[in-house]
Amino acid sequence: MAWVRLDDTFPEHPKVLAAGGDAAWLHICAIAYCNRNLTDGFVPTSALKRLSDARTPTRLAGALVDVNLWEKCDGGWQIHDYHLYQPTRAEVLAEQQVRHDAKVKAGQLGGLASGIARRKHNGTSVEADVKQNEAAHRSRSEAEGVAKRSPDPTRPSSSFNPLLDPSGLFLTAGSEEHQR
């Protein structure tokens, strides 16, 4: 979850007062939108109606442009000085990667600690565990190899017909092969 950073004097800022309350609320909603979607302060025209319930949100966007809180650009608006107060997309992604890597490392360390505790509890050695894991891996690989070569037992084979003998001839109740 991302957080929007606002100065506690935001409501009294001269630009906000000049733009008006509805435009200020649109500005806050747009900052939240940009943080959530990692747009680096870009507000697309298509998102404007979802960010404001005003009948004329483009008029409010124009008021924000007039007071230099927003800048008009191709396809929408850019929030002025967005990067001075809000994290950039690159910063957010880098922070997410650091958190992910820390979780992976913690999981690996937890797994190692768990294995050590199990070995102590069971009285086994690391070498015995390694041999057991290798044997299990070989068995699993061999089973997967057989499974890949064997047809799916839940599906009838289109080439197998119990009424045909291996030579492909039709067996009947009176035939010599059937009586044997």
Side-chain angles (χ1 to χ4, degrees):
M1 174 175 36
W3 295 90
V4 172
R5 296 178 185 152
L6 289 176
D7 187 290
D8 59 358
T9 62
F10 176 82
E12 292 89 25
H13 192 282
K15 290 181 179 182
V16 172
L17 292 173
D22 289 340
W25 181 244
L26 172 60
H27 183 63
I28 292 170
C29 292
I31 291 172
Y33 170 87
C34 293
N35 278 3
R36 184 175 54 257
N37 293 288
L38 302 177
T39 67
D40 285 335
F42 175 72
V43 181
T45 305
S46 60
L48 194 62
K49 288 184 180 180
R50 288 180 290 157
L51 298 176
S52 172
D53 59 359
R55 290 179 190 252
T56 56
T58 52
R59 183 185 58 77
L60 299 176
L64 292 168
V65 169
D66 292 343
V67 298
N68 290 328
L69 284 173
W70 287 15
E71 299 162 3
K72 184 72 176 136
C73 61
D74 288 341
W77 297 266
Q78 180 67 39
I79 297 174
H80 183 74
D81 289 340
Y82 178 84
H83 297 109
L84 295 179
Y85 305 101
Q86 309 302 325
T88 64
R89 175 185 178 88
E91 292 168 346
V92 170
L93 293 177
E95 185 178 325
Q96 287 174 349
Q97 186 64 47
V98 167
R99 285 186 188 151
H100 172 75
D101 293 346
K103 288 178 183 178
V104 167
K105 185 169 181 140
Q108 291 170 341
L109 293 174
L112 290 173
S114 175
I116 290 168
R118 274 194 316 276
R119 282 191 291 280
K120 283 183 182 177
H121 180 72
N122 296 333
T124 61
S125 66
V126 173
E127 294 79 18
D129 286 347
V130 168
K131 286 180 184 178
Q132 183 180 3
N133 286 341
E134 287 174 349
H137 180 69
R138 268 195 310 277
S139 297
R140 190 171 33 247
S141 296
E142 291 168 1
E144 288 171 356
V146 169
K148 288 179 184 172
R149 291 189 302 270
S150 302
D152 183 353
T154 62
R155 292 178 166 224
S157 172
S158 60
S159 63
F160 176 72
N161 187 335
L163 298 177
L164 293 177
D165 70 3
S167 67
L169 300 174
F170 188 74
L171 296 175
T172 61
S175 69
E176 292 176 20
E177 290 85 9
H178 182 45
Q179 293 174 355
R180 287 187 207 159

